[in-house]
Amino acid sequence: MIAEETRHRFDALVARYPEKRSAMIPILHAVQAEVGYLSPAAVEWIAQYLDLMPADVMSVASFYDMLHLEPVGKHLIYACQNLTCTLLGAEPLIRHIETRLGIRAGETTPDGKITLKRMECLAACGDGPAMQVDGEYHGRMTLEKLDRILETLQHD
Amino acid sequence: MTETGAFEKVLTRYQTIPGYRGTLPEYEAHGGYQALHTVLGKMAPAEVVDAVKRSGLRGRGGAGFPCGMKWGFIPKDSGKPVYLVVNGDESEPGTFKDRMLIEEEPHQILEGVILSSYAIGCHLAFLYCRGEFVRGAQVLQRTIAEAYDKGYLGRNILGSGFDLDVIQHRGAGAYICGEETGLLESLEGKRGQPRPKPPFPAVSGLYRCPTVVNNVETLSNIPHILLRGPEWFTAIGPPKSTGPRLFSVSGHVARPGNYELPMSVTLRQLIFEHAGGIPGGRALKAVIPGGSSSPVLTPAHLDVTMDFDSLAAVGSMGGSGAVVVMDETTCMVRVGEIVSRFYHHESCGQCTQCREGTAWLHKVLRRIENGQGRKEDLDLLLDMCDNMKGKTICVLSDAAAMPIESYLKHFRDEFERHIRDRACPFAGAAGVRKH
Ligand SMILES: Cc1cc2nc3c(=O)[nH]c(=O)nc-3n(C[C@H](O)[C@H](O)[C@H](O)COP(=O)(O)O)c2cc1C
Ligand code: SF4
Ligand code: FES
């Protein structure tokens, strides 16, 4: 399931840390990127690789917002719902995404293309309302900008 | 009084250089790594610690703890390796200055890391940045690689006999990993649940070894202190809040952004001169001066200077330096609902008071905002806040309670009106502003 080349990368990664387990989060990120989400088989693989129980890996993975134990869309929208962004109009923007995609925050479109997640402060308040789309920041969001972004994602 | 006009930027001086991208050659062309050449092998580690102590540098991560003193807590003879961990988790709502330093001036951080590691006898340092900093992590990775190539990292750095390796490590999205022991757990590949203290990290931190955890901005100051001397640093700002500080100003201001200033700047100057005041001719209502964990201030506090002690004296704190400005259209109950929702979501759940308290705060504030509050709710809120403070493994619980208490203290009539009228008087205003 995990490419040989990725495994070699992990071997080098693990060797850098005084304790093997420290490579857990980097490995979770990398496996998630390769498999799409942390499937039971992926968790099993990581546990075996790190000499841990699958339950240990699950317990860590479930703690962090960016690690997905369920399949997510091809594209991921993180919309900030914290204070500054809300002061600057984040709520109507989030509702606009929900209406346009026909999903609620936390869900994925039926075609598996887009997942919308509400996030806490993204450290971009100076450019609020802020969002991240597939890891890239988009600031000073407006309905027009948002429509352009959604258009691109939907047609990808 | 405040000579902020004459202040010359230190940490963000690079912003005056056209086209600057923060690569190693650019950083060096503008004085970067000079401190490293001046210090390594030429100053004893203890002298470096002493210089940082004399500079008065206080931590920029939230608590304002004296940096040199923290370094001094590292035991000399534990026989164990010493670790330095850079806290780049930056998740305190309102704060966006560490991300800027990471993306735009990463070698300044790394030079600070090398010098600090030398001072405390560390040979393996970790740059931990929050999960959402995908680009930031790439920049740090490139920065580290450049430094290895140049011989600023690795074996026998600049012929001084000092060895240092640095690992960039990205988290995966959890506010509590900003708390230093939560961060250490996360770095060990575990859930980011804070540890009971004592023992403090200086004695038993990463892998149960002596560890220093410092904020990104704190460490960015180190090269400048060592190059220009502690006296130069203490001449900036008030005597007990020395050196420059980055203030992240956001919310209802004309020019949101990071402003590097001495802490002698007043809240009024920061909002009205630097950040351009409040748009649309609206009036100021409230300001959070140090991140969402800090108690709120009102227009009556505009002349407070933004140093750690003056902010504490008016009942708030300098915290992370994040200044969130709210105008008269803002509903403080809604603010309370948002802030309490955040702490409820981020509580790691180990302590009952925090887990239950944050859930209750959010529930009660939401019901007041939705016009379903009860007369006894306000006393209930204050009781709950009281119960949450000073009793938990980490101070997230306090950080959740203190702001809510302050909203009730300064805006009680607004809460009462929500309950009396069974509706939010600001309905349609806060949170639905068109841009
Ligand atoms: C809930 C919580 C969250 C925190 N988040 C951060 C953070 O994101 N970044 C940071 O530098 N410090 C954060 N801190 C403070 C750290 O625990 C620690 O004091 C700091 O990193 C020490 O560095 P400094 O002395 O250089 O400020 C947080 C503290 C708490 C209680
Ligand atoms: S106070 Fe809250 S966040 Fe801190 S350890 Fe306890 S439950 Fe976790
Ligand atoms: S509040 Fe949205 S990025 Fe900070």
Side-chain angles (χ1 to χ4, degrees), chain B residues 81-154:
Chain B
V82 173
Y83 297 112
L84 174 69
V85 178
V86 185
N87 191 341
D89 195 58
E90 188 166 68
S91 327
E92 173 76 9
T95 321
F96 50 94
K97 42 102 185 167
D98 293 337
R99 180 164 77 90
M100 181 185 76
L101 291 174
I102 289 170
E103 290 184 359
E104 297 180 4
E105 190 65 316
H107 278 287
Q108 182 173 253
I109 306 169
L110 193 59
E111 190 180 8
V113 168
I114 304 168
L115 291 163
S116 308
S117 297
Y118 177 75
I120 62 171
C122 157
H123 301 289
L124 180 58
F126 297 85
L127 310 184
Y128 185 106
C129 72
R130 69 178 278 193
E132 290 85 350
F133 292 178
V134 178
R135 188 167 105 91
Q138 287 165 352
V139 171
L140 289 175
Q141 200 63 52
R142 180 205 79 201
T143 302
I144 292 169
E146 286 176 334
Y148 270 107
D149 281 349
K150 185 83 192 209
Y152 292 156
L153 288 176

Side-chain angles (χ1 to χ4, degrees), chain A residues 12-68:
Chain A
L13 185 72
V14 161
R16 304 201 61 200
Y17 290 94
E19 289 182 10
K20 196 172 182 181
R21 185 169 176 159
S22 277
M24 170 89 83
I25 293 179
I27 288 178
L28 285 166
H29 273 304
V31 169
Q32 176 167 285
E34 198 160 307
V35 179
Y37 77 108
L38 297 166
S39 63
V43 167
E44 182 89 30
W45 188 95
I46 296 169
Q48 219 162 44
Y49 182 80
L50 289 175
D51 305 318
L52 296 167
M53 302 297 287
D56 298 326
V57 177
M58 283 292 286
S59 148
V60 174
S62 62
F63 190 81
Y64 297 93
D65 289 340
M66 296 177 69
L67 300 175
H68 316 300

Side-chain angles (χ1 to χ4, degrees), chain B residues 176 179 192-195 343 346-355 358 388 391-398:
Chain B
I176 196 58
E179 196 277 343
Q193 289 177 325
R195 302 172 181 169
Y343 290 103
E346 301 298 337
S347 166
C348 84
Q350 287 188 96
C351 320
T352 315
Q353 294 96 324
C354 175
R355 188 181 62 240
T358 52
M388 289 168 67
K391 299 179 183 131
T392 48
I393 292 177
C394 87
V395 297
L396 181 138
S397 191
D398 303 67

Side-chain angles (χ1 to χ4, degrees), chain A residues 16-19 21-26 29 58-60 62-67 78 81-84 86-92 95 118-129 132 135 137 140-143, chain B residues 83 90 93-96 99 124 126 130-133 148 166-167 169-174 176-177 186-193 207 250-252 256 288 324-326 330 334-335 338 341-342 345-346 431 433 435:
Chain A
R16 304 201 61 200
Y17 290 94
E19 289 182 10
R21 185 169 176 159
S22 277
M24 170 89 83
I25 293 179
H29 273 304
M58 283 292 286
S59 148
V60 174
S62 62
F63 190 81
Y64 297 93
D65 289 340
M66 296 177 69
L67 300 175
Y78 286 158
Q81 63 165 356
N82 212 291
L83 184 54
T84 296
T86 305
L87 290 173
L88 300 174
E91 278 306 323
R95 281 198 298 272
R118 284 172 171 270
M119 295 295 271
E120 299 302 347
C121 179
L122 292 169
C125 335
D127 287 318
Q132 257 197 357
Y137 278 97
R140 307 198 181 219
M141 192 59 79
T142 58
L143 287 175
Chain B
Y83 297 112
E90 188 166 68
T95 321
F96 50 94
R99 180 164 77 90
L124 180 58
F126 297 85
R130 69 178 278 193
E132 290 85 350
F133 292 178
Y148 270 107
V166 174
I167 297 179
H169 190 100
R170 183 162 70 94
I176 196 58
C177 294
S186 177
L187 196 46
E188 289 183 5
K190 301 173 187 154
R191 295 162 72 87
Q193 289 177 325
Y207 313 124
S250 73
H252 296 145
I288 290 172
V324 182
V325 179
M326 294 170 272
T330 310
R334 175 88 172 112
V335 172
I338 294 166
R341 176 182 64 192
F342 168 72
H345 179 252
E346 301 298 337
R433 160 108 24 95
H435 215 47

